[in-house]
């Protein structure tokens, strides 16, 4: 979902929460994919792998920004406590992804 903040504001809260989950799952797979490519070619000498890793990193950053925007909408609609809970869950999920990748590819 590549939309402006104005368009995001029109979404129902349930859709926003579902989208956060979808983005988390997508990032998990992109992080895992990057780790696998870097395990195969640690120096990223292969130009195709290097391009894929760079593209994945750009998508991850865009999706993290999107999640941040969603959390801000949650804050506006449901208050600080709800936004903090969602942000905490997102951060926990991100750390689990990093731990999983580091544990698998050490």
């Amino acid at each position: 979902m590549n939309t402006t903040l104005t368009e995001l504001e029109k979404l129902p809260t349930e859709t926003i929460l579902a989208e956060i989950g979808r983005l988390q799952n997508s990032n998990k797979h992109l992080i895992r994919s990057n780790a696998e490519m870097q395990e195969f070619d640690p120096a990223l000498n292969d130009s195709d792998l290097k391009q894929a890793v760079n593209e994945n990193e750009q998508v991850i950053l865009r999706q993290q920004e999107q999640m941040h925007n969603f959390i801000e909408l949650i804050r506006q609609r449901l208050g600080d406590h709800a936004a903090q809970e969602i942000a905490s869950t997102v951060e926990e999920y991100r750390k689990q992804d990093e731990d999983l990748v580091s544990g698998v590819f050490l």
Side-chain angles (χ1 to χ4, degrees):
M1 178 176 282
N2 209 2
T3 54
T4 66
L5 191 55
T6 304
E7 292 169 324
L8 296 179
E9 290 172 346
K10 296 175 185 175
L11 294 173
T13 302
E14 296 79 13
T15 302
I16 291 171
L17 293 172
E19 188 64 11
I20 289 171
R22 186 195 68 76
L23 291 168
Q24 287 177 303
N25 190 52
S26 175
N27 279 351
K28 174 182 174 179
H29 290 288
L30 291 167
I31 291 166
R32 181 177 287 163
S33 176
N34 279 359
E36 289 171 353
M37 287 186 279
Q38 290 174 325
E39 179 186 31
F40 179 76
D41 183 2
L44 293 175
N45 293 320
D46 181 284
S47 62
D48 290 335
L49 288 180
K50 184 175 184 172
Q51 180 180 353
V53 167
N54 288 335
E55 288 172 1
N56 286 353
E57 288 173 352
Q58 290 173 11
V59 171
I60 290 166
L61 289 174
R62 280 195 310 268
Q63 291 184 157
Q64 288 174 337
E65 180 65 26
Q66 192 86 18
M67 282 189 280
H68 174 75
N69 290 338
F70 283 137
I71 290 168
E72 286 307 308
L73 285 174
I74 295 295
R75 182 180 320 284
Q76 291 171 14
R77 291 180 186 181
L78 304 176
D80 286 337
H81 182 71
Q84 288 170 355
E85 287 297 316
I86 297 295
S88 174
T89 300
V90 166
E91 182 63 18
E92 253 181 69
Y93 196 87
R94 186 191 61 75
K95 284 181 182 178
Q96 288 175 0
D97 292 344
E98 289 176 357
D99 291 345
L100 177 65
V101 170
S102 351
V104 170
F105 299 107
L106 282 180

